[in-house]
C-alpha cells in the first residue's frame, strides 16, 4: 500500500537495525484518516471472505481494528493481556512471549464472543517474530471458529514470523513489508 | 443518549452494586456501529470547540476514541500505561491508581504529540472514581495544551469522580449516567 509506505518513509524513525518507530501516526498518536484507507485496503483484500468478527490484541491493534471493522460491518474483539476482575472465568487463554516488553503474558478472550460459525480476521499493527499473531490464531482454533486470515499494517519481513505462519497455512496480508532498515539508509520494502 | 441506555439495559450485566459488565459491546467485544453513533454524539456536544487532538488511555478507550476522531477529523493519542523501549525518554508522565486492577501505574504521553496550541478532548469508556481521567487532565495541563473537556461513555454517577472533576472545572459529557444499579433491579440512569 503505497500511501502507507510513503508515510513510513517520511515519518518512521529507524533505531538500530530492528526498531521502527511509527508512533507519530500508528501506535501512540494515531492518524485515523490513514486508518480509514488501511481499513478499505483490508476490506479489498479480504472481500468475499464473509468476515463476521475481527480479533486483535490490546493495545495498539485496537484502533486499526475498529476503523477497519467499519468497512467489514462487524464487531471487533480485543484479546486482553491479563485477567482482570471484570472478565469472568469462561475464557480462551494462551501464553504469548512479548519481545518488545521482554516477558510472557496471558492472552484472554471470553468464550461467549467466539465460536463455531464465526469467520475471523486477525488485525494487528506489527508482525515480527509472530508470537502475538500465533497466539491469536490459537485462540481462534480453540474456539472452533474459522480463521480467514490476518491483516497486518507493517511486517518486518526480515524477521521470521511471517514466513513461519504462512508456511503453517495462515493467509497474511501485510500493507507494508519491510525488507531491511538502517539508521543510515532508512527503510527498504519488499517488492 | 437513548440508544446507549437501551443497549446497557439490554446487554449490560450488573455484578453486585458496582460492577457493570458491558463487554459484549463496549470494552471486550466492540460494536463499532454503536461507536459511530457515540462519535457523532460527542461531536454534537463538543461542536465549535475546535478540538484538534483526542487523548485517551489504553486499552478500552482506544476504539471509541478512534471512531469518534473520524467525526472530529483529528488524530488520537493514547496514553500508555508503562514505559516500553519503543517510547523515547521525552515524555509527560503521571501516576494513576487503577481500582479495577488494584494497582498504581505510570501513564505516559510523548511530549512531541501534545503542547501549547492544542485543544484536547479526553475520551474514555468509564468514569467512576475519576483517577484515570484526572491523570489524563494532568498530562494535558503539563503540556501547556488547552483542555476542552471529556467525553465519557458510561459515568457511574454514584461514585465520586464526575462530581469532583466537574467541581474542579472540567467539562464532562457522559453519554449514559448511572444513578444506581443492582442485580435485582438492573441499571437506573440519572434523568
Amino acid at each position: 500500500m503505497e500511501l502507507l509506505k510513503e508515510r513510513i518513509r517520511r515519518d518512521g524513525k529507524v533505531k538500530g537495525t530492528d526498531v521502527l518507530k511509527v508512533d507519530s501516526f500508528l501506535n501512540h498518536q494515531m492518524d485515523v484518516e490513514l486508518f480509514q484507507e488501511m481499513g478499505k485496503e483490508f476490506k479489498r483484500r479480504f472481500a468475499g471472505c464473509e468476515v463476521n468478527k475481527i480479533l486483535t490484541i490490546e493495545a495498539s491493534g485496537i484502533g486499526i481494528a475498529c476503523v477497519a471493522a467499519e468497512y467489514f460491518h462487524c464487531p471487533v474483539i480485543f484479546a486482553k493481556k491479563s485477567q482482570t476482575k471484570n472478565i469472568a472465568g469462561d475464557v480462551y487463554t494462551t501464553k504469548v512471549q512479548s519481545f518488545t516488553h521482554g516477558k510472557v503474558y496471558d492472552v484472554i478472550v471470553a468464550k461467549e464472543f467466539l465460536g463455531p460459525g464465526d469467520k475471523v480476521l486477525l488485525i494487528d499493527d506489527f508482525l515480527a517474530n509472530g508470537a502475538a499473531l500465533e497466539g491469536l490464531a490459537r485462540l481462534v482454533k480453540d474456539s472452533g471458529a474459522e480463521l480467514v486470515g490476518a491483516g497486518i499494517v507493517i511486517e518486518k519481513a526480515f524477521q521470521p514470523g511471517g514466513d513461519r505462519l504462512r508456511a503453517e497455512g495462515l493467509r497474511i496480508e501485510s500493507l507494508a513489508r519491510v525488507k531491511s532498515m538502517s539508521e543510515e539508509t532508512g527503510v527498504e520494502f519488499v517488492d
Side-chain angles (χ1 to χ4, degrees), chain A:
Chain A
M1 186 183 171
E2 203 48 48
L3 181 71
L4 175 64
K5 291 181 190 172
E6 283 169 18
R7 189 63 176 273
I8 295 168
R9 283 192 197 98
R10 197 185 78 192
D11 293 333
K13 288 173 189 159
V14 179
K15 305 282 177 189
T17 54
D18 69 342
V19 173
L20 176 58
K21 276 171 60 82
V22 286
D23 57 1
S24 67
F25 60 95
L26 191 66
N27 51 18
H28 184 25
Q29 183 167 253
M30 299 179 286
D31 180 341
V32 296
E33 283 167 7
L34 177 64
F35 285 15
Q36 291 173 327
E37 296 307 313
M38 300 189 317
K40 286 178 202 167
E41 179 64 15
F42 284 134
K43 175 64 183 171
R44 193 184 67 76
R45 296 195 189 191
F46 289 100
C49 293
E50 299 176 342
V51 171
N52 79 324
K53 294 271 170 76
I54 288 176
L55 177 64
T56 188
I57 186 163
E58 62 177 346
S60 47
I62 297 174
I64 300 151
C66 282
V67 174
E70 295 178 90
Y71 300 97
F72 287 89
H73 300 287
C74 75
V76 173
I77 301 158
F78 72 89
K80 304 204 176 192
K81 282 183 180 167
S82 69
Q83 190 133 22
T84 77
K85 71 177 180 185
N86 282 347
I87 293 192
D90 217 10
V91 297
Y92 303 112
T93 179
T94 190
K95 289 194 183 297
V96 166
Q97 163 105 42
S98 167
F99 293 87
T100 313
H101 297 84
K103 59 184 175 190
V104 174
Y105 50 86
D106 290 306
V107 174
I108 291 159
V109 170
K111 286 190 178 175
E112 62 186 303
F113 304 131
L114 217 51
D118 284 328
K119 296 191 175 199
V120 182
L121 174 64
L122 308 179
I123 285 193
D124 209 357
D125 57 339
F126 268 97
L127 169 58
N129 290 292
L133 199 60
E134 199 161 22
L136 293 179
R138 275 197 302 275
L139 292 179
V140 173
K141 193 179 168 196
D142 290 349
S143 77
E146 181 185 331
L147 181 54
V148 166
I152 299 294
V153 179
I154 300 177
E155 178 181 344
K156 291 174 173 172
F158 57 89
Q159 289 187 250
D163 286 348
R164 188 181 73 250
L165 290 168
R166 286 186 182 94
E168 291 171 8
L170 182 62
R171 178 180 172 194
I172 302 174
E173 296 284 346
S174 300
L175 302 184
R177 301 187 70 212
V178 177
K179 186 159 76 180
S180 64
M181 56 193 198
S182 76
E183 294 184 17
E184 293 73 30
T185 59
V187 178
E188 197 179 343
F189 295 100
V190 176
D191 302 333

